[in-house]
Amino acid sequence: MSDEIKLNSNLDLSKEFTSPTFEEWKANVEQELKGASYDKKMFTKTYEGIELKPIYTSEDLHKLNFVDSLPGFENYVRGKKSNGYYQNKWKVNQEINIADAEEFNLALSEALKNGQNCINVNLDSATKLGIDADYSDEKNVGDIGLSISAIKSVERLFKNIDVIKYPFSIHTGTIVLPFLTLVKSYFDLKNIDTKLIKGAISADPIFELIQTGKLNYSEDFIFNSMKLSVEWAEKKSPNLKVVGINTLPFANSRANSVQEISIALSILTYYTNKLMELGLAPEAILNKIHFTFGISTNYFMEISKFRAIRILLNNFAKVYGIDSSKIEFDINAKNSNFYHTTLDPYVNLLRSTTQTFSAILGGVDGITTSPFDEVSRIPDNFSRRISRNTQTILREESHLDQTIDPAGGSYFVESLTEEIAKSSWEYFKKIENEGGIFESLKNNFIQKEIENISLERTKDINKRKSVIVGTNMFANVNEKPLEVIAFDKTAFHKKRSEYLKKFRLNGSNEKHETVMKKLNSISNISDISIIEIMSEAYLQGATIGEITSALTSSHKNEIRINPLKQKRASEDFEELRKMSRNYKIKNGFLPNVFLANMGTIKDYKARADFSKGFFEIGGFEVFDPPGFSDVENLINDVIDSGSLIVVICSTDDKYPELVPQITKAIKSKNEKIQIILAGYPKDQIEQHKKSGVDDFIFLGADSMKILSSLYNKIGGQE
């Protein structure tokens, strides 16, 4: 029809609209800033010390060395496999925090039928220390995972599970030999070739040292034990990793991404050099290492971090004269619990999802998605299923297994990857100049460096520059905590102790004598034949405590450092909410705040809303009445409310007249009432303090300091 708009088939938008240059864009931005510094206003400095630009262009890619690399080649920034996850799915590596072997088996069997594709076994503290349950302190039995002592426990653990089909993921503590040999004995019992074992059964002494602050064995013994495990695995189980490097304790202690990567490289250097001194080839060592990194909530930083890790590991191999194409680096990730909360815990589902998403886009080999209730209680079947399904949805519905380096080509991510890699290498050299990871931990260098970052993060969290949804912003004061079903440690310890006593009494005297002879011979053997002897002892009825004792009896030598302070971002605010609940138990009502809204809605509404949110994060109930037109009615309502905290909400223009009247009238009725002013008019501050204002709340105020102080003043702290 004639009145229809007809598009010209030769329309060329590039001729109709010219693309602005970066200089033109910058000129417009500077005009909008009205004299403010472009560099100061538009650049963002991260906790890693990296300055993020407001915009990245193709020009930024020209500066990068790796930009033209392909997946499966060169520096592996785009992944070790040329087809990404298409034929090599990432490992869905969920943890199960159950203490009893039979219950663990049921949960693991269910998980493997419903999306999990890795046998992840969390061991309790007693097992990792090599102490049988009946000889262990009750608090260490079943505390963080499975209690295992002998071959019968392993049989219950793996009942009806195809141990060949699924890769293992088991951290054994400071040394790997006792538990590795126990698993080997199970394979021998079932006549399964150990060459079919996949995954990781690994020890990571630095992980244990930084968490507990001590190691129970000499450095020489630890690395001799590690050497034997590498030699055995190289010959008898080539697809098994036996040396772990796990940086989660550092991530959970508020370390930034550059620190985390650099520390991993320094640990890798320490382990590699120590094992080379014992005669192992670097290629053999690197092929037996299993990495686990934390995943934080800084989405693009995490994607770039995992890409940078591959570049640096490739460089590391070159330093040792190794062709990195011959190294199968196994890079795994687990959600850091630093930003996970006990308040509004279902928000943890969103945090875990974005963290998992970023790790997948970063190209890791295996992921552990934390259950939403992990920091509140022992996760149950529901929360474990939800965390497992997070990965299933990202794979089956979002089709993330169909992409190859999806972040590749992003001006921002490619540039950030380069920045992280460079900064991490420089920081790694800084640690090495301090004597390496072991000396840096002993002289407190690492701890102090992380503490500095921790203080920065805490400051931003307390000022709500860093938002923790449901905790330091958008809180629900009437929320009920998750129900926690207590784990009866005493009953479980008794159960395990009684079982082990009966287990030790079973068998003939001849069998017991055979076990004793094997145990007595263990400490005198320094080659991999020791593993066969230990395995035979397990099959004859020895326990992990007996094996470990025989292996380590002449190698006791306590090493001590200051452990890292592991504290979640939300813990201080959770403590405020706990004070709120205790206040209610004591007084029959929540601590409350009265908003003295003066004038029209336009005058007070914005500051009243801000004040309501500010006090609710501390667990205060907020009375938010309509605006008052005269001070007398306001004072009567304040006194009738019984509130011990009053917040004046109006405009800066009206404060000079209103504040003196309100403060004088309230203080004359009850001088214990705390008067807060919403806003911070700089030219009026001293005047308002003289009038009787006790504090000020505003955007950027230290909420933790103010709220804690108020609890002190109203008797809300024990």
Side-chain angles (χ1 to χ4, degrees):
M1 295 176 65
S2 59
D3 58 343
E4 287 183 342
I5 298 174
K6 295 183 179 180
L7 290 176
N8 186 341
S9 59
N10 297 319
L11 179 65
D12 187 345
L13 292 179
S14 65
K15 292 179 180 178
E16 297 290 329
F17 302 96
T18 57
S19 299
T21 65
F22 173 75
E23 286 70 25
E24 290 172 328
W25 174 86
K26 184 179 177 182
N28 276 310
V29 170
E30 287 176 332
Q31 186 177 350
E32 291 295 322
L33 290 174
K34 297 177 181 178
S37 168
Y38 171 80
D39 290 350
K40 289 182 180 179
K41 281 287 185 180
M42 301 301 292
F43 282 66
T44 304
K45 193 169 185 178
T46 71
Y47 294 115
E48 290 76 14
I50 296 171
E51 281 202 329
L52 302 181
K53 298 192 293 185
I55 190 170
Y56 290 80
T57 70
S58 59
E59 292 299 314
D60 292 292
L61 296 189
H62 297 161
K63 307 169 189 175
L64 308 182
N65 297 321
F66 60 81
V67 72
D68 293 324
S69 64
L70 298 172
F73 295 93
E74 298 173 65
N75 48 45
Y76 305 114
V77 65
R78 310 198 187 288
K80 190 68 182 285
K81 304 291 190 300
S82 59
N83 57 3
Y85 293 126
Y86 188 70
Q87 290 179 320
N88 304 278
K89 309 298 184 188
W90 69 81
K91 290 174 289 186
V92 180
N93 193 14
Q94 295 308 117
E95 294 179 349
I96 300 173
N97 297 96
I98 293 177
D100 182 80
E102 290 179 0
E103 293 178 26
F104 193 106
N105 171 263
L106 292 174
L108 179 59
S109 298
E110 180 71 16
L112 293 172
K113 292 174 186 175
N114 292 283
Q116 187 159 326
N117 56 19
C118 187
I119 299 173
N120 191 326
V121 180
N122 268 9
L123 300 176
D124 68 358
S125 296
T127 305
K128 290 200 294 180
L129 289 168
I131 304 173
D132 292 331
D134 53 340
Y135 286 98
S136 173
D137 191 314
E138 179 184 296
K139 69 180 181 181
N140 291 329
V141 179
D143 59 342
I144 54 174
L146 184 64
S147 175
I148 289 279
S149 290
I151 190 68
K152 292 292 183 182
S153 297
V154 180
E155 286 189 85
R156 293 196 299 275
L157 167 62
F158 293 140
K159 182 181 178 182
N160 298 326
I161 289 175
D162 188 345
V163 292
I164 299 173
K165 181 178 179 181
Y166 303 103
F168 288 103
S169 180
I170 306 174
H171 170 62
T172 65
T174 304
I175 56 174
V176 71
L177 284 180
F179 197 85
L180 173 64
T181 311
L182 180 56
V183 173
K184 177 198 175 300
S185 68
Y186 174 80
F187 273 64
D188 291 344
L189 180 68
K190 300 298 181 181
N191 293 316
I192 304 172
D193 190 345
T194 56
K195 289 182 178 178
L196 299 175
I197 303 177
K198 297 174 291 187
I201 302 175
S202 59
D204 184 357
I206 293 295
F207 175 86
E208 295 299 320
L209 179 64
I210 202 61
Q211 292 212 114
T212 65
K214 66 176 183 178
L215 296 175
N216 296 323
Y217 315 119
S218 68
E219 198 178 359
D220 286 344
F221 171 73
I222 289 170
F223 283 100
N224 277 315
S225 170
M226 193 181 286
K227 169 182 175 281
L228 291 178
S229 66
V230 170
E231 288 179 328
W232 178 84
E234 194 177 17
K235 291 181 180 179
K236 302 293 186 179
S237 193
N239 296 314
L240 182 68
K241 311 285 185 181
V242 292
V243 180
I245 294 178
N246 188 329
T247 61
L248 261 172
F250 301 96
N252 289 339
S253 300
R254 310 187 182 200
N256 63 40
S257 294
V258 164
Q259 288 174 326
E260 187 184 2
I261 295 171
S262 305
I263 287 167
L265 290 174
S266 193
I267 296 171
L268 179 59
T269 302
Y270 176 53
Y271 289 174
T272 302
N273 289 346
K274 281 289 184 181
L275 292 172
M276 285 177 65
E277 288 172 12
L278 295 174
L280 292 182
E283 185 177 323
I285 299 164
L286 297 186
N287 267 320
K288 291 302 173 190
I289 294 180
H290 175 266
F291 292 92
T292 303
F293 293 90
I295 322 169
S296 189
T297 52
N298 190 333
Y299 184 69
F300 291 107
M301 183 68 73
E302 294 304 300
I303 295 172
S304 304
K305 178 178 84 175
F306 290 111
R307 300 171 87 245
I309 286 167
R310 288 195 293 275
I311 294 174
L312 293 171
L313 290 178
N314 178 64
N315 291 348
F316 185 93
K318 288 179 180 177
V319 169
Y320 282 84
I322 305 169
D323 179 354
S324 57
S325 66
K326 297 179 180 178
I327 306 298
E328 288 296 327
F329 287 118
D330 189 19
I331 301 171
N332 298 270
K334 182 182 187 298
N335 297 151
S336 166
N337 64 24
F338 174 66
Y339 279 112
H340 284 219
T341 64
T342 62
L343 299 172
D344 206 352
Y346 296 102
V347 179
N348 292 333
L349 291 168
L350 304 179
R351 297 182 181 112
S352 293
T353 300
T354 58
Q355 287 174 315
T356 301
F357 200 150
S358 62
I360 295 170
L361 266 57
V364 302
D365 298 301
I367 305 171
T368 303
T369 300
S370 299
F372 72 88
D373 56 352
E374 185 176 69
V375 299
S376 303
R377 62 188 182 185
I378 298 173
D380 57 18
N381 288 332
F382 171 75
S383 61
R384 289 197 305 270
R385 178 167 64 86
I386 293 297
S387 63
R388 192 170 61 242
N389 285 350
T390 298
Q391 296 193 51
T392 301
I393 291 169
L394 291 174
R395 185 182 64 243
E396 300 297 334
E397 296 188 22
S398 299
H399 304 294
L400 296 188
D401 61 338
Q402 305 296 305
T403 62
I404 302 173
D405 188 32
S410 161
Y411 303 153
F412 173 41
V413 174
E414 298 280 31
S415 299
L416 185 54
T417 298
E418 172 86 350
E419 288 280 356
I420 293 172
K422 284 183 176 179
S423 298
S424 297
W425 193 257
E426 290 303 312
Y427 196 85
F428 160 63
K429 291 192 290 186
K430 186 176 178 180
I431 296 173
E432 292 304 297
N433 288 335
E434 290 288 328
I437 187 65
F438 194 51
E439 291 302 318
S440 294
L441 291 172
K442 287 200 293 186
N443 65 28
N444 233 32
F445 171 75
I446 296 289
Q447 293 90 325
K448 288 178 181 176
E449 289 280 293
I450 293 176
E451 181 64 20
N452 290 336
I453 300 299
S454 177
L455 291 173
E456 285 185 47
R457 291 188 191 272
T458 300
K459 182 180 177 181
D460 288 344
I461 291 163
N462 289 350
K463 291 188 173 185
R464 303 197 295 172
K465 181 180 177 182
S466 291
V467 174
I468 308 173
V469 174
T471 300
N472 74 347
M473 288 283 269
F474 315 117
N476 175 12
V477 293
N478 296 311
E479 147 186 21
K480 293 182 180 179
L482 290 173
E483 181 184 358
V484 177
I485 300 173
F487 172 60
D488 191 337
K489 288 188 177 181
T490 302
F492 183 73
H493 182 255
K494 182 180 178 183
K495 174 185 174 182
R496 292 288 295 137
S497 298
E498 289 175 352
Y499 170 81
L500 282 166
K501 286 171 185 175
K502 290 178 183 177
F503 176 78
R504 288 193 180 91
L505 292 173
N506 288 335
S508 64
N509 288 334
E510 182 181 351
K511 199 171 185 179
H512 289 309
E513 287 175 8
T514 302
V515 171
M516 290 305 299
K517 286 179 182 178
K518 292 184 184 299
L519 292 175
N520 290 334
S521 67
I522 287 174
S523 61
N524 299 319
I525 300 173
S526 58
D527 58 52
I528 62 171
S529 64
I530 194 175
I531 293 177
E532 288 298 330
I533 296 171
M534 290 164 68
S535 181
E536 290 168 7
Y538 276 127
L539 292 172
Q540 293 293 323
T543 65
I544 199 166
E546 292 165 345
I547 291 286
T548 304
S549 179
L551 184 67
T552 64
S553 58
S554 59
H555 303 286
K556 302 288 185 181
N557 183 26
E558 198 169 82
I559 300 170
R560 284 190 174 272
I561 65 162
N562 291 321
L564 281 174
K565 298 174 184 176
Q566 296 191 27
K567 184 179 179 180
R568 290 179 293 105
S570 61
E571 285 188 40
D572 288 338
F573 287 93
E574 290 165 0
E575 189 61 31
L576 289 179
R577 300 282 281 278
K578 183 180 177 182
M579 289 180 198
S580 172
R581 292 193 294 271
N582 290 339
Y583 187 97
K584 184 175 182 179
I585 292 169
K586 181 180 177 181
N587 298 287
F589 53 87
L590 288 171
N592 53 68
V593 174
F594 190 98
L595 300 187
N597 299 324
M598 294 299 298
T600 65
I601 287 181
K602 183 179 179 181
D603 292 334
Y604 69 80
K605 180 63 173 172
R607 281 176 168 165
D609 288 347
F610 173 82
S611 300
K612 190 172 188 290
F614 188 96
F615 282 96
E616 285 181 339
I617 66 174
F620 291 85
E621 184 178 9
V622 179
F623 301 146
D624 185 12
F628 293 89
S629 57
D630 66 88
V631 173
E632 187 177 346
N633 287 337
L634 166 67
I635 303 306
N636 290 335
D637 282 7
V638 166
I639 300 305
D640 289 344
S641 74
S643 294
L644 293 176
I645 302 170
V646 175
V647 184
I648 303 173
C649 300
S650 192
T651 65
D652 289 356
D653 291 342
K654 293 185 177 181
Y655 279 159
E657 179 184 352
L658 288 173
V659 171
Q661 297 180 56
I662 295 171
T663 53
K664 183 178 179 181
I666 290 176
K667 293 287 186 181
S668 68
K669 299 282 187 180
N670 185 348
E671 62 180 14
K672 292 183 179 179
I673 292 177
Q674 298 295 301
I675 299 178
I676 312 296
L677 189 70
Y680 197 78
K682 292 181 180 179
D683 57 337
Q684 302 175 20
I685 298 301
E686 291 307 315
Q687 176 190 342
H688 294 323
K689 285 181 179 178
K690 289 176 182 177
S691 297
V693 171
D694 296 291
D695 216 332
F696 303 82
I697 60 172
F698 51 92
L699 195 64
D702 189 328
S703 60
M704 179 56 59
K705 182 180 178 181
I706 293 171
L707 295 171
S708 297
S709 174
L710 286 171
Y711 266 113
N712 255 331
K713 291 173 181 176
I714 67 171
Q717 287 189 341
E718 295 296 330

